[in-house]
Amino acid sequence: GSGNAVSDLTSNPAYPGRPDALEALSSFASPTDVADNYGSRIRAYLTPTASGTNRFFISSDDNSSLLLSGNDDPSGAVRVAYVPGWTEPNAWTTSAQQMSGPINLVADQRYYIEALHKEGGGGDHVEVAWAGPGIVDANNLPATNIIAGSFLTPFDINYPPQISSQILPVSASIPNGTAVGRVLALDSPLDTLSFQIVGGNTNDLFRIEPASGVISVLDNSLIASGSMMSFPLSVAVQDSGYGGLYPVRSAQGTVTI
């Protein structure tokens, strides 16, 4: 979407659970000049190999925020640095807000870390670096380095599908085999959804097409007789874990016919 503020990303209806693309990174740095008018979210667990005081830095075009948790719980993450405008790639001192305060880390403890980035137009990139114990350059001197992939562990970014209660009208004279309607569920376009009726299907009156979510009538006897006026079905929808990259997620909703 348009805009270059991080809030333009987090207020987008597709955020956070329905990304249009995924890319695995080898370090805490995105590709450059990818596109215009998009937002990105980079998430991982950070495991330092030395204890001590660290500082974190973020560089981006356009705006970005860097969040860090005191442990591996994402709910405890707070903003520690941000880019209020834009910077050149790997530029750590364009503004004072790019650098965190001193943060004590414990060796071999896992910390949740996240960068939010919003691109408007022109160039685009985002990188996160750190400085502290054991972080050195090629000459073994203290340095500010982009966080290498060896310190990062992938975070499970999959969200369950979104399904809400729905009403599908049906005629008392509907023939067997006729489609009643389609169950609506939302998820990332990178996911494949599968549907299943898990409750309320008295006498197996209905069936659902697993791939499409289309519900059809198998046995219209109770509908035609009027002995039951409504049929609340519990429908489960399961995603594909972004094609098997992450554990699958599922959700349930009520579809009343």
Side-chain angles (χ1 to χ4, degrees):
S2 62
N4 57 14
V6 170
S7 59
D8 293 321
L9 166 64
T10 57
S11 63
N12 188 290
Y15 179 89
R18 291 185 278 133
D20 297 307
L22 293 177
E23 182 166 353
L25 302 177
S26 59
S27 67
F28 214 132
S30 74
T32 59
D33 300 332
V34 173
D36 291 330
N37 296 314
Y38 75 93
S40 66
R41 188 184 195 191
I42 304 173
R43 313 176 75 187
Y45 294 114
L46 171 69
T47 306
T49 56
S51 297
T53 301
N54 293 257
R55 291 186 186 270
F56 290 85
F57 305 80
I58 187 165
S59 168
S60 66
D61 184 348
D62 288 302
N63 297 185
S64 62
S65 291
L66 177 63
L67 292 83
L68 182 69
S69 178
N71 49 40
D72 61 1
D73 184 358
S75 67
V78 296
R79 190 175 75 171
V80 296
Y82 66 100
V83 173
W86 65 276
T87 74
E88 296 291 343
N90 306 325
W92 312 118
T93 58
T94 304
S95 65
Q97 296 93 332
Q98 290 178 253
M99 181 177 70
S100 77
I103 298 174
N104 290 321
L105 301 179
V106 177
D108 301 322
Q109 181 171 316
R110 196 164 70 164
Y111 300 86
Y112 174 81
I113 189 169
E114 169 182 342
L116 298 172
H117 164 238
K118 184 64 179 72
E119 158 66 3
D124 54 281
H125 65 90
V126 59
E127 304 89 25
V128 173
W130 60 345
I135 302 169
V136 296
D137 63 15
N139 298 314
N140 208 36
L141 297 174
T144 298
N145 292 344
I146 290 176
I147 302 175
S150 58
F151 297 100
L152 301 170
T153 304
F155 178 82
D156 181 0
I157 64 172
N158 192 20
Y159 283 79
Q162 294 177 318
I163 182 172
S164 56
S165 298
Q166 299 160 51
I167 298 176
L168 300 176
V170 65
S171 166
S173 59
I174 188 170
N176 290 336
T178 303
V180 177
R182 183 188 305 271
V183 177
L184 300 179
L186 296 175
D187 207 341
S188 166
L190 305 174
D191 257 320
T192 300
L193 300 181
S194 59
F195 298 83
Q196 181 181 7
I197 298 174
V198 295
N201 195 14
T202 304
N203 295 346
D204 293 328
L205 264 66
F206 303 97
R207 72 175 299 272
I208 191 167
E209 175 60 39
S212 67
V214 171
I215 295 178
S216 57
V217 176
L218 278 182
D219 179 0
N220 70 351
S221 57
L222 290 180
I223 302 173
S225 69
S227 57
M228 291 184 66
M229 301 305 295
S230 67
F231 306 88
L233 306 178
S234 295
V235 176
V237 55
Q238 179 177 285
D239 66 21
S240 62
Y242 295 124
L245 294 175
Y246 298 97
V248 298
R249 298 285 187 267
S250 61
Q252 286 191 26
T254 300
V255 178
T256 302
I257 299 175

Short mmCIF file of all heavy atoms in Angstrom, two decimals, residues 167-231:
data_model
loop_
_atom_site.label_atom_id
_atom_site.label_comp_id
_atom_site.label_asym_id
_atom_site.label_seq_id
_atom_site.Cartn_x
_atom_site.Cartn_y
_atom_site.Cartn_z
N ILE A 167 -24.18 -17.15 7.00
CA ILE A 167 -25.52 -17.70 6.76
C ILE A 167 -25.67 -17.95 5.27
O ILE A 167 -25.45 -17.05 4.45
CB ILE A 167 -26.62 -16.77 7.26
CG1 ILE A 167 -26.51 -16.58 8.78
CG2 ILE A 167 -28.00 -17.32 6.89
CD1 ILE A 167 -27.51 -15.58 9.34
N LEU A 168 -26.04 -19.18 4.90
CA LEU A 168 -26.27 -19.53 3.50
C LEU A 168 -27.74 -19.93 3.35
O LEU A 168 -28.19 -20.90 3.95
CB LEU A 168 -25.36 -20.69 3.08
CG LEU A 168 -23.84 -20.45 3.18
CD1 LEU A 168 -23.08 -21.72 2.82
CD2 LEU A 168 -23.43 -19.30 2.29
N PRO A 169 -28.52 -19.18 2.56
CA PRO A 169 -29.95 -19.52 2.39
C PRO A 169 -30.12 -20.75 1.53
O PRO A 169 -29.31 -21.05 0.64
CB PRO A 169 -30.51 -18.27 1.70
CG PRO A 169 -29.34 -17.69 0.98
CD PRO A 169 -28.13 -17.98 1.82
N VAL A 170 -31.21 -21.48 1.79
CA VAL A 170 -31.50 -22.68 1.02
C VAL A 170 -33.01 -22.81 0.86
O VAL A 170 -33.78 -22.47 1.75
CB VAL A 170 -30.90 -23.92 1.70
CG1 VAL A 170 -31.55 -24.18 3.04
CG2 VAL A 170 -31.02 -25.15 0.81
N SER A 171 -33.43 -23.29 -0.29
CA SER A 171 -34.85 -23.50 -0.57
C SER A 171 -35.27 -24.89 -0.11
O SER A 171 -34.48 -25.84 -0.17
CB SER A 171 -35.12 -23.36 -2.07
OG SER A 171 -36.40 -23.86 -2.41
N ALA A 172 -36.51 -25.03 0.36
CA ALA A 172 -37.01 -26.33 0.80
C ALA A 172 -37.05 -27.34 -0.33
O ALA A 172 -37.05 -28.55 -0.09
CB ALA A 172 -38.41 -26.16 1.41
N SER A 173 -37.09 -26.85 -1.57
CA SER A 173 -37.19 -27.76 -2.71
C SER A 173 -35.85 -28.01 -3.38
O SER A 173 -35.80 -28.55 -4.49
CB SER A 173 -38.17 -27.19 -3.74
OG SER A 173 -37.73 -25.91 -4.18
N ILE A 174 -34.76 -27.68 -2.72
CA ILE A 174 -33.45 -27.82 -3.34
C ILE A 174 -33.16 -29.30 -3.64
O ILE A 174 -33.33 -30.16 -2.79
CB ILE A 174 -32.35 -27.21 -2.44
CG1 ILE A 174 -31.00 -27.18 -3.17
CG2 ILE A 174 -32.25 -27.95 -1.11
CD1 ILE A 174 -29.94 -26.37 -2.45
N PRO A 175 -32.73 -29.62 -4.84
CA PRO A 175 -32.44 -31.02 -5.19
C PRO A 175 -31.12 -31.48 -4.55
O PRO A 175 -30.22 -30.68 -4.28
CB PRO A 175 -32.32 -31.00 -6.72
CG PRO A 175 -32.87 -29.69 -7.16
CD PRO A 175 -32.66 -28.74 -6.03
N ASN A 176 -31.03 -32.77 -4.34
CA ASN A 176 -29.77 -33.34 -3.88
C ASN A 176 -28.66 -33.05 -4.90
O ASN A 176 -28.90 -33.05 -6.11
CB ASN A 176 -29.89 -34.85 -3.68
CG ASN A 176 -30.77 -35.20 -2.49
OD1 ASN A 176 -30.93 -34.41 -1.58
ND2 ASN A 176 -31.35 -36.40 -2.51
N GLY A 177 -27.46 -32.80 -4.39
CA GLY A 177 -26.33 -32.53 -5.27
C GLY A 177 -26.16 -31.07 -5.63
O GLY A 177 -25.19 -30.71 -6.31
N THR A 178 -27.08 -30.21 -5.18
CA THR A 178 -27.01 -28.79 -5.52
C THR A 178 -26.13 -28.03 -4.53
O THR A 178 -26.20 -28.25 -3.32
CB THR A 178 -28.42 -28.17 -5.51
OG1 THR A 178 -29.26 -28.89 -6.41
CG2 THR A 178 -28.39 -26.71 -5.92
N ALA A 179 -25.31 -27.15 -5.05
CA ALA A 179 -24.46 -26.33 -4.20
C ALA A 179 -25.28 -25.27 -3.48
O ALA A 179 -26.13 -24.61 -4.09
CB ALA A 179 -23.36 -25.68 -5.01
N VAL A 180 -25.02 -25.09 -2.18
CA VAL A 180 -25.70 -24.08 -1.38
C VAL A 180 -24.91 -22.77 -1.39
O VAL A 180 -25.49 -21.68 -1.48
CB VAL A 180 -25.88 -24.58 0.06
CG1 VAL A 180 -26.52 -23.50 0.94
CG2 VAL A 180 -26.71 -25.85 0.09
N GLY A 181 -23.63 -22.87 -1.31
CA GLY A 181 -22.78 -21.69 -1.29
C GLY A 181 -21.37 -22.05 -0.88
O GLY A 181 -21.05 -23.21 -0.61
N ARG A 182 -20.52 -21.05 -0.82
CA ARG A 182 -19.11 -21.25 -0.52
C ARG A 182 -18.77 -20.64 0.85
O ARG A 182 -19.17 -19.51 1.15
CB ARG A 182 -18.25 -20.59 -1.60
CG ARG A 182 -16.74 -20.82 -1.42
CD ARG A 182 -15.95 -19.98 -2.41
NE ARG A 182 -16.36 -20.19 -3.77
CZ ARG A 182 -15.85 -21.12 -4.57
NH1 ARG A 182 -14.90 -21.92 -4.10
NH2 ARG A 182 -16.28 -21.26 -5.80
N VAL A 183 -18.03 -21.38 1.66
CA VAL A 183 -17.55 -20.87 2.94
C VAL A 183 -16.42 -19.88 2.67
O VAL A 183 -15.49 -20.17 1.91
CB VAL A 183 -17.04 -22.01 3.83
CG1 VAL A 183 -16.48 -21.46 5.14
CG2 VAL A 183 -18.15 -23.01 4.11
N LEU A 184 -16.51 -18.71 3.28
CA LEU A 184 -15.51 -17.66 3.07
C LEU A 184 -14.47 -17.70 4.17
O LEU A 184 -14.80 -17.69 5.36
CB LEU A 184 -16.19 -16.29 3.03
CG LEU A 184 -17.23 -16.08 1.93
CD1 LEU A 184 -17.83 -14.69 2.03
CD2 LEU A 184 -16.62 -16.30 0.55
N ALA A 185 -13.21 -17.74 3.78
CA ALA A 185 -12.10 -17.70 4.72
C ALA A 185 -10.98 -16.89 4.10
O ALA A 185 -10.80 -16.88 2.88
CB ALA A 185 -11.62 -19.11 5.05
N LEU A 186 -10.23 -16.19 4.95
CA LEU A 186 -9.15 -15.33 4.48
C LEU A 186 -7.81 -15.85 4.99
O LEU A 186 -7.68 -16.25 6.14
CB LEU A 186 -9.34 -13.89 4.97
CG LEU A 186 -10.57 -13.14 4.46
CD1 LEU A 186 -10.66 -11.79 5.14
CD2 LEU A 186 -10.52 -12.98 2.95
N ASP A 187 -6.81 -15.83 4.11
CA ASP A 187 -5.45 -16.17 4.50
C ASP A 187 -4.51 -15.61 3.44
O ASP A 187 -4.95 -15.04 2.44
CB ASP A 187 -5.28 -17.68 4.63
CG ASP A 187 -4.18 -18.07 5.61
OD1 ASP A 187 -3.33 -17.21 5.91
OD2 ASP A 187 -4.17 -19.22 6.08
N SER A 188 -3.22 -15.79 3.66
CA SER A 188 -2.24 -15.31 2.69
C SER A 188 -2.44 -16.01 1.34
O SER A 188 -2.79 -17.20 1.30
CB SER A 188 -0.83 -15.60 3.20
OG SER A 188 0.12 -15.45 2.17
N PRO A 189 -2.22 -15.29 0.23
CA PRO A 189 -2.28 -15.96 -1.08
C PRO A 189 -1.21 -17.02 -1.25
O PRO A 189 -1.27 -17.81 -2.19
CB PRO A 189 -2.08 -14.80 -2.07
CG PRO A 189 -1.43 -13.71 -1.28
CD PRO A 189 -1.94 -13.86 0.11
N LEU A 190 -0.24 -17.06 -0.33
CA LEU A 190 0.80 -18.09 -0.39
C LEU A 190 0.33 -19.40 0.22
O LEU A 190 1.02 -20.41 0.11
CB LEU A 190 2.04 -17.60 0.34
CG LEU A 190 2.62 -16.27 -0.13
CD1 LEU A 190 3.76 -15.83 0.78
CD2 LEU A 190 3.10 -16.37 -1.56
N ASP A 191 -0.82 -19.39 0.89
CA ASP A 191 -1.35 -20.58 1.55
C ASP A 191 -2.42 -21.24 0.70
O ASP A 191 -3.16 -20.59 -0.04
CB ASP A 191 -1.95 -20.22 2.91
CG ASP A 191 -1.04 -20.58 4.06
OD1 ASP A 191 -0.41 -21.64 4.00
OD2 ASP A 191 -0.97 -19.79 5.02
N THR A 192 -2.53 -22.55 0.84
CA THR A 192 -3.62 -23.33 0.27
C THR A 192 -4.51 -23.78 1.42
O THR A 192 -4.02 -24.33 2.41
CB THR A 192 -3.09 -24.56 -0.48
OG1 THR A 192 -2.23 -24.13 -1.53
CG2 THR A 192 -4.24 -25.36 -1.08
N LEU A 193 -5.81 -23.53 1.30
CA LEU A 193 -6.75 -23.86 2.36
C LEU A 193 -7.49 -25.16 2.07
O LEU A 193 -7.76 -25.49 0.91
CB LEU A 193 -7.76 -22.72 2.54
CG LEU A 193 -7.19 -21.35 2.90
CD1 LEU A 193 -8.32 -20.34 3.07
CD2 LEU A 193 -6.34 -21.42 4.16
N SER A 194 -7.83 -25.87 3.15
CA SER A 194 -8.69 -27.05 3.03
C SER A 194 -9.79 -26.95 4.07
O SER A 194 -9.58 -26.46 5.18
CB SER A 194 -7.88 -28.33 3.23
OG SER A 194 -7.26 -28.36 4.49
N PHE A 195 -11.00 -27.41 3.69
CA PHE A 195 -12.20 -27.25 4.51
C PHE A 195 -12.76 -28.61 4.91
O PHE A 195 -12.64 -29.59 4.18
CB PHE A 195 -13.27 -26.47 3.73
CG PHE A 195 -12.87 -25.07 3.35
CD1 PHE A 195 -12.12 -24.82 2.21
CD2 PHE A 195 -13.25 -23.99 4.14
CE1 PHE A 195 -11.76 -23.53 1.86
CE2 PHE A 195 -12.89 -22.69 3.79
CZ PHE A 195 -12.14 -22.47 2.65
N GLN A 196 -13.41 -28.62 6.09
CA GLN A 196 -14.03 -29.84 6.59
C GLN A 196 -15.19 -29.49 7.51
O GLN A 196 -15.08 -28.57 8.33
CB GLN A 196 -13.00 -30.69 7.35
CG GLN A 196 -13.52 -32.00 7.88
CD GLN A 196 -12.47 -32.78 8.65
OE1 GLN A 196 -11.37 -32.26 8.88
NE2 GLN A 196 -12.77 -33.99 9.05
N ILE A 197 -16.32 -30.20 7.37
CA ILE A 197 -17.42 -30.08 8.32
C ILE A 197 -17.10 -30.95 9.52
O ILE A 197 -16.89 -32.17 9.38
CB ILE A 197 -18.77 -30.50 7.69
CG1 ILE A 197 -19.11 -29.59 6.51
CG2 ILE A 197 -19.89 -30.45 8.74
CD1 ILE A 197 -20.36 -30.03 5.75
N VAL A 198 -17.02 -30.35 10.71
CA VAL A 198 -16.61 -31.10 11.89
C VAL A 198 -17.72 -31.23 12.94
O VAL A 198 -17.52 -31.87 13.97
CB VAL A 198 -15.36 -30.44 12.54
CG1 VAL A 198 -14.17 -30.53 11.60
CG2 VAL A 198 -15.63 -28.99 12.92
N GLY A 199 -18.89 -30.64 12.69
CA GLY A 199 -19.98 -30.76 13.64
C GLY A 199 -21.27 -30.22 13.10
O GLY A 199 -21.30 -29.40 12.17
N GLY A 200 -22.39 -30.73 13.64
CA GLY A 200 -23.71 -30.22 13.28
C GLY A 200 -24.31 -30.79 12.02
O GLY A 200 -25.41 -30.38 11.64
N ASN A 201 -23.64 -31.71 11.37
CA ASN A 201 -24.12 -32.21 10.08
C ASN A 201 -25.05 -33.40 10.30
O ASN A 201 -24.72 -34.56 10.04
CB ASN A 201 -22.93 -32.60 9.20
CG ASN A 201 -23.34 -32.78 7.75
OD1 ASN A 201 -24.43 -32.37 7.34
ND2 ASN A 201 -22.46 -33.39 6.96
N THR A 202 -26.27 -33.11 10.79
CA THR A 202 -27.26 -34.13 11.12
C THR A 202 -27.56 -35.01 9.91
O THR A 202 -27.86 -34.53 8.82
CB THR A 202 -28.56 -33.48 11.60
OG1 THR A 202 -28.28 -32.61 12.70
CG2 THR A 202 -29.59 -34.53 12.02
N ASN A 203 -27.47 -36.33 10.11
CA ASN A 203 -27.76 -37.31 9.06
C ASN A 203 -26.93 -37.09 7.79
O ASN A 203 -27.33 -37.51 6.71
CB ASN A 203 -29.26 -37.30 8.69
CG ASN A 203 -30.14 -37.75 9.84
OD1 ASN A 203 -29.65 -38.30 10.82
ND2 ASN A 203 -31.44 -37.49 9.72
N ASP A 204 -25.79 -36.43 7.95
CA ASP A 204 -24.93 -36.16 6.78
C ASP A 204 -25.71 -35.51 5.65
O ASP A 204 -25.60 -35.88 4.48
CB ASP A 204 -24.26 -37.45 6.29
CG ASP A 204 -23.25 -38.00 7.28
OD1 ASP A 204 -22.62 -37.18 7.97
OD2 ASP A 204 -23.10 -39.23 7.35
N LEU A 205 -26.46 -34.47 6.01
CA LEU A 205 -27.26 -33.77 5.00
C LEU A 205 -26.40 -33.05 3.98
O LEU A 205 -26.81 -32.92 2.82
CB LEU A 205 -28.18 -32.74 5.69
CG LEU A 205 -29.61 -33.17 6.01
CD1 LEU A 205 -29.62 -34.26 7.05
CD2 LEU A 205 -30.42 -31.96 6.45
N PHE A 206 -25.23 -32.60 4.41
CA PHE A 206 -24.43 -31.73 3.55
C PHE A 206 -23.02 -32.31 3.38
O PHE A 206 -22.55 -33.11 4.18
CB PHE A 206 -24.31 -30.32 4.16
CG PHE A 206 -25.64 -29.67 4.41
CD1 PHE A 206 -26.21 -29.71 5.69
CD2 PHE A 206 -26.33 -29.03 3.40
CE1 PHE A 206 -27.43 -29.12 5.94
CE2 PHE A 206 -27.55 -28.42 3.64
CZ PHE A 206 -28.11 -28.48 4.91
N ARG A 207 -22.37 -31.89 2.33
CA ARG A 207 -20.96 -32.19 2.14
C ARG A 207 -20.24 -30.90 1.76
O ARG A 207 -20.88 -29.94 1.29
CB ARG A 207 -20.73 -33.24 1.04
CG ARG A 207 -20.99 -32.74 -0.37
CD ARG A 207 -20.63 -33.80 -1.40
NE ARG A 207 -19.22 -34.17 -1.37
CZ ARG A 207 -18.27 -33.55 -2.04
NH1 ARG A 207 -18.57 -32.49 -2.81
NH2 ARG A 207 -17.02 -33.94 -1.97
N ILE A 208 -18.95 -30.86 2.02
CA ILE A 208 -18.17 -29.69 1.66
C ILE A 208 -17.00 -30.13 0.79
O ILE A 208 -16.36 -31.17 1.06
CB ILE A 208 -17.68 -28.94 2.92
CG1 ILE A 208 -17.08 -27.58 2.55
CG2 ILE A 208 -16.69 -29.76 3.72
CD1 ILE A 208 -16.86 -26.66 3.75
N GLU A 209 -16.75 -29.38 -0.26
CA GLU A 209 -15.60 -29.65 -1.12
C GLU A 209 -14.35 -29.18 -0.39
O GLU A 209 -14.20 -27.98 -0.11
CB GLU A 209 -15.76 -28.94 -2.45
CG GLU A 209 -14.56 -29.05 -3.37
CD GLU A 209 -14.23 -30.49 -3.74
OE1 GLU A 209 -15.18 -31.28 -3.97
OE2 GLU A 209 -13.03 -30.80 -3.79
N PRO A 210 -13.42 -30.10 -0.07
CA PRO A 210 -12.27 -29.71 0.76
C PRO A 210 -11.44 -28.57 0.17
O PRO A 210 -10.95 -27.71 0.89
CB PRO A 210 -11.45 -31.00 0.86
CG PRO A 210 -12.45 -32.10 0.65
CD PRO A 210 -13.44 -31.55 -0.34
N ALA A 211 -11.28 -28.54 -1.14
CA ALA A 211 -10.38 -27.56 -1.75
C ALA A 211 -11.04 -26.20 -1.95
O ALA A 211 -10.37 -25.17 -1.89
CB ALA A 211 -9.86 -28.08 -3.08
N SER A 212 -12.34 -26.18 -2.16
CA SER A 212 -13.02 -24.92 -2.50
C SER A 212 -13.88 -24.36 -1.38
O SER A 212 -14.21 -23.17 -1.38
CB SER A 212 -13.88 -25.11 -3.74
OG SER A 212 -14.96 -26.00 -3.47
N GLY A 213 -14.31 -25.21 -0.45
CA GLY A 213 -15.22 -24.76 0.59
C GLY A 213 -16.66 -24.65 0.16
O GLY A 213 -17.49 -24.09 0.86
N VAL A 214 -17.00 -25.22 -1.00
CA VAL A 214 -18.38 -25.19 -1.48
C VAL A 214 -19.18 -26.28 -0.76
O VAL A 214 -18.80 -27.45 -0.75
CB VAL A 214 -18.45 -25.41 -3.01
CG1 VAL A 214 -19.90 -25.59 -3.46
CG2 VAL A 214 -17.81 -24.23 -3.72
N ILE A 215 -20.30 -25.85 -0.15
CA ILE A 215 -21.21 -26.78 0.53
C ILE A 215 -22.35 -27.14 -0.40
O ILE A 215 -22.96 -26.26 -1.02
CB ILE A 215 -21.75 -26.16 1.83
CG1 ILE A 215 -20.61 -25.95 2.83
CG2 ILE A 215 -22.83 -27.06 2.45
CD1 ILE A 215 -21.06 -25.29 4.13
N SER A 216 -22.67 -28.42 -0.49
CA SER A 216 -23.79 -28.89 -1.32
C SER A 216 -24.66 -29.84 -0.50
O SER A 216 -24.26 -30.35 0.54
CB SER A 216 -23.29 -29.56 -2.59
OG SER A 216 -22.44 -30.64 -2.28
N VAL A 217 -25.87 -30.07 -1.00
CA VAL A 217 -26.85 -30.92 -0.32
C VAL A 217 -26.64 -32.37 -0.75
O VAL A 217 -26.61 -32.67 -1.95
CB VAL A 217 -28.29 -30.48 -0.65
CG1 VAL A 217 -29.30 -31.43 -0.01
CG2 VAL A 217 -28.52 -29.05 -0.17
N LEU A 218 -26.50 -33.26 0.24
CA LEU A 218 -26.44 -34.69 -0.05
C LEU A 218 -27.79 -35.36 0.10
O LEU A 218 -28.17 -36.21 -0.70
CB LEU A 218 -25.43 -35.38 0.88
CG LEU A 218 -23.95 -35.31 0.53
CD1 LEU A 218 -23.13 -36.10 1.54
CD2 LEU A 218 -23.71 -35.84 -0.87
N ASP A 219 -28.53 -34.98 1.16
CA ASP A 219 -29.82 -35.59 1.46
C ASP A 219 -30.77 -34.48 1.91
O ASP A 219 -30.64 -33.95 3.00
CB ASP A 219 -29.66 -36.64 2.56
CG ASP A 219 -30.98 -37.30 2.96
OD1 ASP A 219 -32.02 -36.94 2.38
OD2 ASP A 219 -30.94 -38.16 3.86
N ASN A 220 -31.73 -34.13 1.05
CA ASN A 220 -32.61 -32.99 1.34
C ASN A 220 -33.86 -33.36 2.13
O ASN A 220 -34.79 -32.56 2.24
CB ASN A 220 -33.01 -32.27 0.05
CG ASN A 220 -33.96 -33.12 -0.80
OD1 ASN A 220 -34.20 -34.30 -0.50
ND2 ASN A 220 -34.50 -32.52 -1.86
N SER A 221 -33.90 -34.57 2.70
CA SER A 221 -35.14 -35.04 3.33
C SER A 221 -35.56 -34.15 4.50
O SER A 221 -36.75 -33.78 4.60
CB SER A 221 -34.98 -36.49 3.79
OG SER A 221 -33.87 -36.60 4.68
N LEU A 222 -34.64 -33.81 5.38
CA LEU A 222 -35.01 -32.97 6.52
C LEU A 222 -35.33 -31.54 6.07
O LEU A 222 -36.17 -30.87 6.69
CB LEU A 222 -33.88 -32.94 7.55
CG LEU A 222 -33.64 -34.24 8.32
CD1 LEU A 222 -32.49 -34.07 9.31
CD2 LEU A 222 -34.90 -34.67 9.06
N ILE A 223 -34.70 -31.08 5.01
CA ILE A 223 -35.00 -29.74 4.49
C ILE A 223 -36.40 -29.72 3.90
O ILE A 223 -37.21 -28.84 4.19
CB ILE A 223 -33.96 -29.33 3.43
CG1 ILE A 223 -32.56 -29.36 4.01
CG2 ILE A 223 -34.29 -27.96 2.86
CD1 ILE A 223 -31.47 -29.14 2.99
N ALA A 224 -36.71 -30.71 3.06
CA ALA A 224 -38.01 -30.75 2.37
C ALA A 224 -39.16 -30.96 3.34
O ALA A 224 -40.26 -30.42 3.17
CB ALA A 224 -37.99 -31.85 1.32
N SER A 225 -38.93 -31.75 4.40
CA SER A 225 -40.01 -32.04 5.35
C SER A 225 -40.30 -30.86 6.28
O SER A 225 -41.38 -30.79 6.86
CB SER A 225 -39.65 -33.27 6.18
OG SER A 225 -38.57 -32.98 7.06
N GLY A 226 -39.34 -29.97 6.42
CA GLY A 226 -39.52 -28.84 7.33
C GLY A 226 -39.37 -29.20 8.78
O GLY A 226 -39.65 -28.38 9.66
N SER A 227 -38.88 -30.41 9.06
CA SER A 227 -38.74 -30.83 10.45
C SER A 227 -37.59 -30.10 11.14
O SER A 227 -37.54 -30.04 12.37
CB SER A 227 -38.54 -32.34 10.53
OG SER A 227 -37.41 -32.74 9.76
N MET A 228 -36.66 -29.59 10.34
CA MET A 228 -35.60 -28.73 10.87
C MET A 228 -35.55 -27.47 10.03
O MET A 228 -35.55 -27.53 8.79
CB MET A 228 -34.24 -29.44 10.85
CG MET A 228 -34.13 -30.59 11.85
SD MET A 228 -32.46 -31.33 11.87
CE MET A 228 -31.51 -29.96 12.53
N MET A 229 -35.54 -26.31 10.68
CA MET A 229 -35.60 -25.04 9.95
C MET A 229 -34.23 -24.43 9.69
O MET A 229 -34.08 -23.58 8.82
CB MET A 229 -36.47 -24.05 10.72
CG MET A 229 -37.89 -24.55 10.96
SD MET A 229 -38.74 -25.00 9.42
CE MET A 229 -38.83 -23.39 8.61
N SER A 230 -33.23 -24.82 10.47
CA SER A 230 -31.88 -24.31 10.24
C SER A 230 -30.88 -25.38 10.64
O SER A 230 -31.17 -26.26 11.47
CB SER A 230 -31.63 -23.02 11.04
OG SER A 230 -31.61 -23.28 12.42
N PHE A 231 -29.71 -25.27 10.04
CA PHE A 231 -28.68 -26.28 10.21
C PHE A 231 -27.34 -25.59 10.50
O PHE A 231 -26.63 -25.20 9.57
CB PHE A 231 -28.56 -27.16 8.96
CG PHE A 231 -29.87 -27.77 8.54
CD1 PHE A 231 -30.73 -27.08 7.69
CD2 PHE A 231 -30.25 -29.02 9.00
CE1 PHE A 231 -31.93 -27.64 7.30
CE2 PHE A 231 -31.45 -29.59 8.61
CZ PHE A 231 -32.31 -28.89 7.76
#
